[in-house]
Amino acid sequence: MSEAAIAPGAIRMRRISLWMLPLALALGLFLQSYENALEWWRSRELFARQVPAGTAASLGGGEWKLAGLRRVGERSDGRAVMLLDMEALVRDPEAFAVLPCRLVLEASDGRRWSPQFLTPSEVNRLPERRGQTIPTCTQALASKPRVGATLRISEGFVLPAGTNGQVRPVLSLPAGRPHYLRFELPG
Amino acid sequence: MSGAFAKLGALVLAALLLAGMQRYTPGYAEITGPIPLRGEFGETLAGRGFSVRADNVLLAQKLRFKAYGREVERDTGGVFALVIARLEAQPASITIGSAIWRSAQGARFVASPRFQGAPRLLGTDRLEPGLPQRGIFIFEVPREAVEGATLLVAASRWPRLDTQAEIALPAQPGAPAPVIDLGELAYE
Amino acid sequence: MIVSWLAGLRQAVSSKLTIGIGGLLALAITSGQSLLEALEPPVLPALAAGVPLDAGRWRVALHDVRLTTQSRPDGPPAPDGAQFLALDLDLANRSSETDNTFARILAVEPPIEGLQPNPTFWLVRDKAILSALQPGLPERVQVIWRLAPGAKAPERLRLVVNGETFKPRDNLFAAPGWFNRKPIAAATLPVVSVEAKP
């Protein structure tokens, strides 16, 4: 069988096409998924904003201030029961009302504790709290407040013995990511 | 003629290679599924998000416990297998969503849902870092599935690229006791 | 000239046929399959009471149906005098994994007026709601449908049992699963009226 003559220009074109193939694949992959990748990157907690004690910082449609982190009691084997109080001033009601709200206590070694439900008898150990119902972060966001409203938020935590001195509240909201707030404790 | 044989041979080789790749490539569910973390009985396994240690295995025909103020007794056509274990969250709060008894024959028994309200039942309360929980997983298995089983613990029922701890349980856990009262188990 | 034209035509047809034979074959086979399926008789085999049947991941044996005023096994009569249909059956998990999809296997056909569409499954051993069945451990289960007040209680209950087939690797995730749910048997059971013991 005789082989058809291939023009040298065609050989070069075929070689170039072969080398362009990985490039085309990479480009296709990038175009398909850059939106998803951007979304994923934006939804992580990457940039912390330190909030000095006594000041407010804005995140996700509101201005947040730490009102207090107090130890209200002890459970078995030395576990400390803590009560966290925050104040939020609503600036943008739509961004503010986006759930879920992540309000956790973070220790210096990176461990994080999520809020727990405290029984009323534990909360009422603080005399100024008796007879008051203060909403949790989720309840406050879901109540759809209006512009300019100031909300009080309270969450309970149970920490192992020995850590209650070195934890700091950390707030992360979907509307504010990738930034999040880390509050300094007074004193 | 040898040219034709060579071409046929190349064709057959290509077909074999393709068939082999098609047969032995792990499926999508396997590639994106649980990441096994294997360990021995009594060894602490630290995975992503939690650590687990299996301490003891007890068998029983009937279990008795007090739930929501009422005495409850549960019996079974097979046997109840209790695994006493210690769970801890690291570094953040986590809920252990699944505990599975995988028998030596490959059957998977999810922890029994008949024991709501039983004392020290693991998987009900959320785990917090620094506050380990010692409690039990309760499984209901046929008699053939008791020996040489594996305990699979993970944070969710169908872990996706997440740790699933696999603990090899004792090959002969002993004879089942007629009744075990869950309120009287010694955990320490 | 006609001869050469015919020869050219024959060659064109034969080359197109060679190229398209795969597609034509696939079309013929799928058409034949759908034709065969449409021709299958819609009569379901009858299932007698007490006879076990393999229905996908469940082995089911229907026992009896009672008209009762109890909303749960061995419970008190319902306060407003509502009536319930209680079906006793044996259920065993044939698959190798704990499963809670037993609600799919039974359907009341033809539907009875006033009957609750989604019945409750009770584990007779515990007298509690059935959450899941473990592989290899058959259990006695009671299925309870509520009859709307004023609805006429049926004399016979016709149930259709659905079965599924097992695929070790499915088409989407290459994971094992049970698919293609379709009716495999029908059972007609007489409804026995039971007076609740005082």
Side-chain angles (χ1 to χ4, degrees):
Chain A
M1 279 202 330
S2 68
E3 288 189 13
I6 309 177
I11 294 182
R12 225 174 116 247
M13 274 314 295
R14 288 185 196 177
R15 202 159 285 159
I16 292 179
S17 311
L18 194 61
W19 287 114
M20 294 296 282
L21 191 60
L23 235 78
L25 281 176
L27 192 65
L29 211 65
F30 172 72
L31 284 175
Q32 269 233 323
S33 40
Y34 84 97
E35 270 175 13
N36 287 343
L38 201 65
E39 177 101 14
W40 173 80
W41 186 84
R42 269 205 53 104
S43 71
R44 302 179 65 203
E45 292 159 10
L46 294 175
F47 308 116
R49 281 190 206 142
Q50 300 284 124
V51 184
T55 62
S58 74
L59 188 75
E63 286 189 13
W64 299 81
K65 185 165 122 165
L66 171 67
L69 176 63
R70 285 167 297 183
R71 182 186 158 125
V72 297
E74 245 186 50
R75 284 195 189 164
S76 59
D77 71 13
R79 302 174 186 204
V81 180
M82 315 284 286
L83 202 60
L84 171 69
D85 286 303
M86 307 265 302
E87 267 174 24
L89 174 63
V90 183
R91 290 267 179 241
D92 178 1
E94 289 207 2
F96 189 80
V98 180
L99 292 171
C101 160
R102 275 197 75 219
L103 188 52
V104 299
L105 289 183
E106 190 181 78
S108 45
D109 59 5
R111 292 188 295 173
R112 292 183 298 282
W113 287 266
S114 299
Q116 276 191 21
F117 172 73
L118 296 185
T119 60
S121 57
E122 282 175 317
V123 175
N124 292 339
R125 296 221 193 126
L126 292 176
E128 63 266 25
R129 295 293 294 268
R130 296 212 183 115
Q132 289 193 333
T133 338
I134 304 187
T136 61
C137 189
T138 311
Q139 291 168 344
L141 294 193
S143 69
K144 300 203 199 302
R146 294 194 314 248
V147 177
T150 306
L151 302 170
R152 284 184 67 192
I153 290 174
S154 175
E155 299 271 15
F157 297 86
V158 176
L159 302 180
T163 52
N164 55 327
Q166 305 118 31
V167 292
R168 281 176 303 194
V170 164
L171 172 69
S172 163
L173 296 173
R177 292 195 189 122
H179 298 276
Y180 65 98
L181 299 178
R182 190 184 284 143
F183 295 88
E184 300 283 336
L185 296 178
Chain B
M1 243 1 231
S2 69
F5 271 136
K7 282 184 189 162
L8 195 63
L11 201 64
V12 168
L13 189 66
L16 281 177
L17 269 176
L18 284 175
M21 284 200 295
Q22 198 239 15
R23 178 100 170 61
Y24 292 107
T25 306
Y28 178 80
E30 220 179 298
I31 295 174
T32 60
I35 300 175
L37 177 66
R38 300 195 172 94
E40 290 302 316
F41 196 60
E43 182 191 334
T44 305
L45 299 173
R48 190 194 81 91
F50 69 96
S51 73
V52 58
R53 187 185 77 209
D55 288 331
N56 203 0
V57 176
L58 301 171
L59 302 177
Q61 302 275 23
K62 284 199 224 209
L63 292 179
R64 196 188 294 148
F65 62 101
K66 204 161 166 159
Y68 312 118
R70 292 206 320 257
E71 274 280 336
V72 179
E73 193 171 279
R74 296 272 186 247
D75 67 347
T76 173
V79 72
F80 286 119
L82 305 176
V83 181
I84 300 184
R86 180 188 185 275
L87 291 174
E88 186 174 349
Q90 175 74 20
S93 317
I94 200 174
T95 312
I96 296 300
S98 94
I100 298 178
W101 177 283
R102 187 177 66 197
S103 71
Q105 300 93 20
R108 294 152 59 98
F109 301 85
V110 175
S112 179
R114 297 166 64 192
F115 294 92
Q116 321 271 10
R120 305 282 281 260
L121 193 64
L122 291 172
T124 356
D125 291 329
R126 197 177 60 199
L127 289 174
E128 304 285 345
L131 300 174
Q133 285 182 16
R134 276 203 91 205
I136 45 170
F137 290 116
I138 305 179
F139 302 95
E140 184 184 356
V141 301
R143 268 175 216 265
E144 314 81 68
V146 160
E147 304 184 337
T150 317
L151 176 71
L152 306 176
V153 180
S156 64
R157 175 74 178 87
W158 301 106
R160 289 262 160 261
L161 290 178
D162 203 1
T163 306
Q164 186 172 62
E166 294 186 14
I167 302 180
L169 296 174
Q172 321 254 285
V179 179
I180 290 186
D181 191 324
L182 296 181
E184 288 168 14
L185 277 176
Y187 290 96
E188 299 312 325
Chain C
M1 201 134 103
I2 295 269
V3 172
S4 68
W5 178 75
L6 271 179
L9 187 65
R10 203 186 70 179
Q11 196 182 43
V13 168
S14 79
S15 67
K16 287 201 169 62
L17 206 64
T18 320
I19 294 171
I21 190 72
L24 283 178
L25 208 60
L27 199 63
I29 290 178
T30 51
S31 311
Q33 264 184 345
S34 28
L35 206 67
L36 274 177
E37 272 174 24
L39 284 178
E40 263 170 26
V43 171
L44 294 170
L47 176 67
V51 174
L53 172 73
D54 283 345
R57 46 186 135 191
W58 307 103
R59 178 169 296 129
V60 59
L62 305 171
H63 290 291
D64 52 29
V65 185
R66 297 191 312 276
L67 179 68
T68 167
T69 51
Q70 298 168 312
S71 64
R72 31 187 309 159
D74 282 7
D80 49 2
Q83 295 198 304
F84 301 86
L85 282 181
L87 165 70
D88 271 333
L89 53 105
D90 284 327
L91 207 53
N93 186 344
R94 290 175 70 219
S95 69
S96 65
E97 183 127 14
T98 310
D99 210 87
N100 61 358
T101 59
F102 34 77
R104 302 177 181 175
I105 49 169
L106 292 178
V108 177
E109 210 168 297
I112 295 176
E113 214 174 296
L115 200 67
Q116 174 188 19
N118 296 323
T120 323
F121 282 71
W122 296 86
L123 186 61
V124 171
R125 191 193 285 274
D126 286 350
K127 318 240 189 322
I129 297 213
L130 179 64
S131 332
L133 280 174
Q134 310 283 352
L137 294 173
E139 292 285 356
R140 178 60 72 107
V141 170
Q142 210 173 84
V143 185
I144 296 190
W145 286 266
R146 189 175 196 283
L147 265 178
K152 180 173 159 304
E155 289 189 355
R156 318 182 71 77
L157 184 67
R158 182 169 182 272
L159 291 160
V160 161
V161 181
N162 295 318
E164 291 169 313
T165 45
F166 180 68
K167 275 180 98 162
R169 290 167 78 113
D170 71 20
N171 295 342
L172 193 56
F173 296 112
W178 295 82
F179 303 96
N180 298 330
R181 178 163 30 128
K182 57 178 199 194
I184 55 170
T188 308
L189 300 166
V191 176
V192 174
S193 217
V194 166
E195 295 299 318
K197 299 189 247 306

